[in-house]
């Protein structure tokens, strides 16, 4: 429990992480959360505090990829060290206790910090046949979520399964899997979608909560705007090729070798909101598009049911779209025309804080969200 824990500075020192590196990390979090540099000391102080809000982490119907994403078992990252150090009092996958001892730990954490703890959930919740498809210590995920949510100050739904139902929710959804927000209606819920979600986004949201004692500004799907405010396409380094209408046609053609846009190979970047192109993966090394594969759209609802990952998004069927398609056949103007149309559609949606879907891109101008 919390009283047994080493302080964050001690843990970081034990892993050879200097104060300078820690402050640099806090600076990166501030930048990612669109906070001024002057907030860096406040973030560092909040993360270092001895007394911290408790975090109870429940894993339901999932593949453990979300926890793997965060901990990256091969080497502890600053993100995972901070998460462990700040407050993680109960975690199904990471804790040593099991069975009745684990349940006792959950109940003890709930009692001690009732009304104050942060509840983190990964995995969807099966509701079919009374929730029998996933149980822990004989308690259905449905019952455990409802019971644990009662004493939570806020809930963080980590990963697309917890945020939107994810793979278990995909057709035909035999277990009746739903998202946390389908069950819990009376608590603030932060959705950190992604399959898996980006580790630094999880840490960033927790750091924001610990620093300000409040949840960050959210979009219409309950995701923090600081990380999900722009599409992959908005930040993609291949975007100039899209705008010029230069598309790879196969994964090994001349266009692919030249780093051209992967739109025609099924990239869902234009309709996917996430921070991959900015934060990247594996400690800022790269992200899928940089490795030559299109975005799958993993941070959006129902992405498993959206057709083949390798089928291109439809080109707009509006007059602009048709003109663009004709132009595309004739030359490079098409990409720019499509881009202009899609930008207009996205801008209209963003002003209402809504996410653009494939269907929205096909609507005539003026009928978008
Ligand atoms: S369609 Fe995909 S590869 Fe092309 S610019 Fe957009 S996000 Fe990048
Ligand atoms: S690039 Fe797309 S599919 Fe890949 S992790 Fe990011 S949002 Fe998910």
């Amino acid at each position: 429990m919390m009283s047994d824990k080493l302080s964050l500075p001690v843990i970081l020192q034990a892993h050879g992480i200097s104060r300078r590196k820690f402050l640099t990390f806090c600076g990166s979090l501030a930048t990612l959360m669109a906070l001024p540099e002057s907030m860096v000391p406040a973030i560092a102080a909040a993360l270092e505090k001895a007394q911290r809000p408790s975090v109870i982490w429940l894993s339901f119907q999932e593949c453990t990829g979300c926890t793997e994403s965060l901990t990256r078992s091969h080497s502890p990252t600053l993100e995972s060290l901070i998460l462990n150090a700040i407050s993680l009092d109960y975690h199904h996958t990471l804790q040593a206790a099991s069975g009745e001892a684990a349940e006792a730990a959950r109940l003890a954490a709930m009692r001690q910090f009732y009304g104050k703890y942060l509840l983190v959930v990964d995995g969807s919740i099966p509701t079919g046949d009374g929730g029998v498809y996933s149980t822990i210590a004989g308690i259905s995920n449905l019952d455990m979520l409802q019971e644990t949510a009662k004493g939570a100050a806020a809930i963080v739904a980590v990963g697309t399964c917890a945020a939107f139902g994810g793979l278990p929710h995909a057709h035909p959804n035999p277990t009746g899997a739903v998202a946390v927000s389908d069950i819990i209606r009376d608590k603030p819920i932060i959705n950190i979608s992604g399959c898996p979600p980006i580790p630094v986004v999880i840490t960033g949201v927790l750091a924001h909560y610990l620093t300000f004692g409040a949840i960050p500004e959210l979009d219409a799907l309950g995701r923090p705007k600081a990380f999900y405010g722009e599409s992959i396409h908005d930040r993609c380094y291949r975007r100039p090729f899209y705008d010029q209408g230069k598309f790879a046609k196969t994964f090994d053609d001349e266009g692919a070798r030249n780093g051209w846009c992967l739109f025609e190979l099924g990239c869902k970047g234009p309709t996917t909101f996430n921070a991959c192109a900015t934060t990247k993966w594996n400690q800022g090394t790269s992200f899928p598009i940089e490795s030559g594969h299109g975005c799958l759209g993993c941070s959006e609802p129902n992405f498993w049911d959206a057709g083949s990952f390798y089928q291109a998004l439809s080109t707009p069927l509006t007059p602009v779209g048709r003109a663009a398609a004709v132009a595309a056949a004739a030359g490079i103007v098409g990409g720019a025309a499509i881009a202009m149309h899609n930008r207009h559609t996205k801008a209209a949606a963003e002003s209402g804080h809504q996410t653009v879907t494939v269907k929205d891109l096909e609507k005539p101008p003026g009928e978008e969200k």
Side-chain angles (χ1 to χ4, degrees):
M1 297 300 294
M2 279 176 37
S3 55
D4 302 327
K5 287 183 174 172
L6 298 173
S7 69
L8 179 61
V10 171
I11 290 176
L12 296 180
Q13 198 178 17
H15 285 83
I17 295 171
S18 67
R19 172 127 190 105
R20 176 187 288 267
K21 195 168 175 192
F22 172 61
L23 288 176
T24 303
F25 175 78
C26 293
S28 307
L29 285 181
T31 305
L32 286 167
M33 293 187 288
L35 297 171
E37 206 181 323
S38 57
M39 288 306 303
V40 172
I43 294 173
L47 292 176
E48 289 177 326
K49 257 196 270 180
Q51 285 299 313
R52 307 157 294 249
S54 170
V55 172
I56 297 177
W57 186 312
L58 303 178
S59 296
F60 293 146
Q61 195 165 237
E62 44 83 42
C63 69
T64 315
C66 298
T67 297
E68 288 292 335
S69 168
L70 186 61
T71 57
R72 241 110 18 88
S73 51
H74 59 279
S75 71
T77 62
L78 198 46
E79 291 96 314
S80 65
L81 288 175
I82 284 174
L83 183 76
N84 278 316
I86 52 176
S87 48
L88 195 56
D89 286 321
Y90 177 90
H91 190 301
H92 278 152
T93 312
L94 300 180
Q95 68 193 3
S98 62
E100 287 179 5
E103 276 317 291
R106 178 176 68 89
L107 296 174
M110 283 175 61
R111 262 195 309 272
Q112 192 175 353
F113 304 105
Y114 200 84
K116 295 184 186 150
Y117 58 81
L118 202 55
L119 173 59
V120 180
V121 177
D122 65 317
S124 64
I125 300 93
T127 58
D129 297 319
V132 296
Y133 297 110
S134 180
T135 62
I136 298 162
I139 306 168
S140 74
N141 293 169
L142 184 60
D143 287 346
M144 190 176 283
L145 173 63
Q146 286 172 327
E147 182 186 41
T148 317
K150 275 186 196 146
I155 302 175
V156 184
V158 168
T160 297
C161 293
F164 305 132
L167 177 58
H169 178 77
H171 181 77
N173 190 3
T175 66
V178 298
V180 172
S181 58
D182 291 321
I183 306 284
I184 307 298
R185 307 279 188 184
D186 59 349
K187 298 281 177 181
I189 298 176
I190 308 166
N191 286 328
I192 305 181
S193 59
C195 188
I198 302 171
V200 74
V201 174
I202 302 173
T203 319
V205 168
L206 294 176
H208 185 285
Y209 183 77
L210 293 170
T211 306
F212 301 106
I215 64 173
E217 191 182 1
L218 306 177
D219 71 6
L221 294 176
R223 302 175 296 192
K225 278 189 188 173
F227 298 104
Y228 296 89
E230 290 184 278
S231 69
I232 300 289
H233 187 64
D234 286 332
R235 294 299 190 91
C236 181
Y237 74 105
R238 297 190 190 227
R239 179 60 179 270
F241 293 117
Y242 177 96
D243 290 343
Q244 293 167 34
K246 290 181 174 173
F247 303 105
K249 310 287 182 192
T250 68
F251 285 105
D252 59 356
D253 68 4
E254 192 65 21
R257 279 192 286 280
N258 288 333
W260 288 2
C261 172
L262 302 172
F263 181 87
E264 293 190 6
L265 293 173
C267 181
K268 306 297 186 288
T271 56
T272 304
F273 286 69
N274 205 345
C276 303
T278 318
T279 64
K280 304 196 178 177
W281 284 83
N282 298 323
Q283 291 162 293
T285 305
S286 178
F287 78 116
I289 290 170
E290 212 169 335
S291 305
H293 196 286
C295 169
L296 305 181
C298 78
S299 56
E300 297 301 317
N302 302 317
F303 86 103
W304 289 102
D305 287 328
S308 166
F309 291 149
Y310 300 100
Q311 185 181 337
L313 294 170
S314 312
T315 47
L317 299 177
T318 62
V320 172
R322 275 196 292 275
V326 171
I332 61 170
V333 187
I338 294 170
M340 193 187 307
H341 170 78
N342 287 353
R343 268 201 295 273
H344 166 76
T345 305
K346 258 185 46 54
E350 277 177 357
S351 64
H353 305 311
Q354 291 179 340
T355 299
V356 173
T357 65
V358 178
K359 283 194 171 58
D360 296 322
L361 293 177
E362 293 175 343
K363 285 179 186 168
E367 289 183 17
E368 302 91 345
K369 281 180 183 176

